[in-house]
Amino acid sequence: MEELKHECGVAMIRLLKPLDYYQQKYGTWMYGLNKLYLMMEKQHNRGQEGAGMACVKLACKPGNEYMFRERAEGKDAITNIFATVQKQYNSLSADQLSDAAFARDHLPFAGELYMGHLRYSTTGKSGLSYVHPFLRRNNWRAKNLCLCGNFNMTNIEEIFSKLTLQGQSPRIYSDSYIMLELMGHRLDREVERNFTAAKAMEMENLDITHYIEDHVKMENVLRTTMTDFDGGYVVCGLTGSGELFSMRDPWGIRPAFYYRNDEIVVLASERPVLQTTFDLECDDIKELAPGQALIVNKHGDCLLRQIIEPKKCAPCSFERIYFSRGSDRDIYLERKKLGEQLTQPILKAVGYDTAHTVFSFIPNTAEVAFYGMLQGVKHYVNEQKMQKIEHLDHTPSHEELESILRDDVRSEKVAWKDIKLRTFITEDNSRNDLASHVYDVTYESLNAHEDNLVIIDDSIVRGTTLKESILRILDRLHPKKIVLVSSAPQIRYPDYYGIDMARLEEFCAFRATIELIKERGRHQLIVDTYAHCKEELAKPKEEMRNCVQDLYEPFTVESINRKMVEMLRPEGMKTPVELVFQSVEGLHHAIPNHSGDWYFTGDYPTPGGIRLCNQAFVNYVETYYQFEQKF
């Protein structure tokens, strides 16, 4: 499994009590800061290219900083940003550090609102300027906006055009900055609405300021901002006047979980993060509904507001298969089910010869699916034992029973994740040579030329690691046959909602299908699909259909599997290889509440996804066929 990058992880904390409350109860006013650190570390899997955090102080006197931000790049970014914050406290005495009132009045990041973000880029853009959170400054506290999120928008050019028509000139062309400017513009209008209302009541000076900050409604800002966006998102933000908010996309593509009591309101991208950090039960935590916003106002009132009516429900299934932490109660059971459901096709692939088959997995994320697969095979073997005993026509001897009961399922840790290929290697041959050593094997973990090897992965995307490393290294064990199992269906279509799978040619299933089309002399299918994609792109996006689906229509999953094996088999490898994929029906059976399956079916939940998929095929044809006279 090639490592996929995912955008991103979020964490938010709103303290509902004064800092001295946490000093007295928990022994430190840094309770919120410390919890934010834990929440971010426990979501490190969601972003290792950069991290950032922000903090807002309430009731800060003019002339003092009330909004703080720290960002860093690299895999150690979380450690670095919190170390930077702590360095600012190094010169303080123990008494000063334990004085909540002193901290509130004098120390940076000693506030009541905290927000953290972990970044994986899906755009290829890098640099500190692209690390969340983003900050929009203003001398009016209520107009200051800090924003971060787990999102990828498909219609950013439309939003950019809308902003420029309003007279704005965003400094950077990215969905993050453009969202910041659009939402900031709407926040300005909300503040001005309240300013007008305060003036109508003949208020003056600070009374106007206090009125504005007491009456800002973030739901108004969100309703006039987020209805324009097409994509998967969880958007989080803080204002300088003390508003905290988080909103989920109306399709429910990206996840968000929250918890509240009389001390805190907290939100994160994953449920186990909140469970572990705050010692909660699974059912204590709620999931933010599609199109819903969690808002905590300046006074600590926690509100749930339906900003956009829910649309076609499509929570991302890849979150469950791969990205989210397997320690979540439901995800753990779902991944086991995905493995267990593959029992019959796996047994068929090894000719039901469990006595000469070793079962294993590709580390690390496929381990839970492996347990499910093992459970399914053990159930089959136990059924076989019972049938043998039931069909005996005599009372079996001890030796006979022992012979029957000795049948077992053999599992071994065959593959090991050994090294990570370093990105500073740029020369192709060197990179390929290093890639072949990413994995290692446990030598003599199976009987050479006698045992089949069944090895499960959570998904097969590009196939590069299979070809360059996994198949080569497994072949050294000389199994009778290798059965590669994917607990996910064939990945055929790009993602445009936050995972770095944007080009069709990246997918081995797509490349295999193109090869089948060529082999069978059906070149016209490529020509027609290209023409149909161009026609669809001329239509309003709401009327488009996904023409790329036409390419797969003539072929069975099995025929594509066989072609993939041909293409991925390393030169000189003799061991027979068979691929077994999860079915789409099996996916939905195992993960019934997360129907977002566009990676596998091409059924995108938003018009923007369909448009970009059609465009991806146009780009593919124009890139790879431009020098050919004939498809």
Side-chain angles (χ1 to χ4, degrees), residues 300-482:
D301 301 319
C302 186
L303 312 168
L304 289 171
R305 293 288 184 264
Q306 194 67 43
I307 304 301
I308 303 175
E309 286 303 307
K311 299 185 180 180
K312 176 185 177 182
C313 187
C316 174
S317 57
F318 227 105
E319 285 275 354
R320 318 296 283 186
I321 297 169
Y322 178 72
F323 290 113
S324 295
R325 292 165 66 91
S327 58
D328 182 277
R329 176 193 66 187
D330 296 338
I331 291 173
Y332 184 82
L333 295 174
E334 289 165 2
R335 290 181 182 176
K336 281 191 71 177
K337 189 69 175 176
L338 286 169
E340 184 181 7
Q341 287 178 165
L342 291 164
T343 302
Q344 280 304 315
I346 290 170
L347 290 171
K348 182 179 178 183
V350 297
Y352 297 88
D353 185 7
T354 56
H356 297 95
T357 300
V358 171
F359 296 87
S360 192
F361 63 94
I362 303 294
N364 294 318
T365 52
E367 187 173 1
V368 179
F370 165 73
Y371 294 138
M373 174 184 72
L374 214 56
Q375 186 172 294
V377 177
K378 285 180 177 178
H379 179 75
Y380 166 79
V381 170
N382 287 337
E383 286 288 330
Q384 297 300 112
K385 292 178 186 178
M386 287 189 287
Q387 288 183 24
K388 288 180 181 178
I389 294 171
E390 288 169 353
H391 286 83
L392 291 173
D393 56 2
H394 61 279
T395 302
S397 66
H398 177 85
E399 289 75 17
E400 285 177 303
L401 279 176
E402 186 177 44
S403 175
I404 293 171
L405 295 177
R406 192 181 296 122
D407 289 344
D408 201 2
V409 179
R410 296 164 57 199
S411 62
E412 302 287 353
K413 181 73 176 285
V414 171
W416 298 79
K417 191 76 174 285
D418 204 27
I419 64 168
K420 183 174 182 179
L421 182 63
R422 299 302 177 186
T423 56
F424 60 78
I425 303 296
T426 57
E427 195 269 319
D428 287 344
N429 290 333
S430 297
R431 285 179 64 89
N432 290 340
D433 180 58
L434 284 175
S436 68
H437 297 283
V438 168
Y439 287 87
D440 207 341
V441 290
T442 304
Y443 289 95
E444 300 188 26
S445 54
L446 52 81
N447 297 317
H449 308 294
E450 294 181 10
D451 290 335
N452 302 305
L453 174 60
V454 173
I455 192 155
I456 190 168
D457 201 349
D458 48 32
S459 56
I460 298 172
V461 186
R462 303 178 181 97
T464 308
T465 309
L466 277 176
K467 184 179 181 68
E468 300 296 338
S469 180
I470 293 174
L471 286 174
R472 288 181 186 277
I473 203 77
L474 294 180
D475 194 42
R476 295 181 185 179
L477 298 174
H478 306 296
K480 181 180 176 183
K481 181 180 185 180
I482 296 173

Side-chain angles (χ1 to χ4, degrees), residues 93-110:
S93 68
D95 288 342
Q96 288 175 317
L97 269 180
S98 61
D99 187 339
F102 175 83
R104 181 194 63 223
D105 295 338
H106 300 287
L107 299 185
F109 293 94

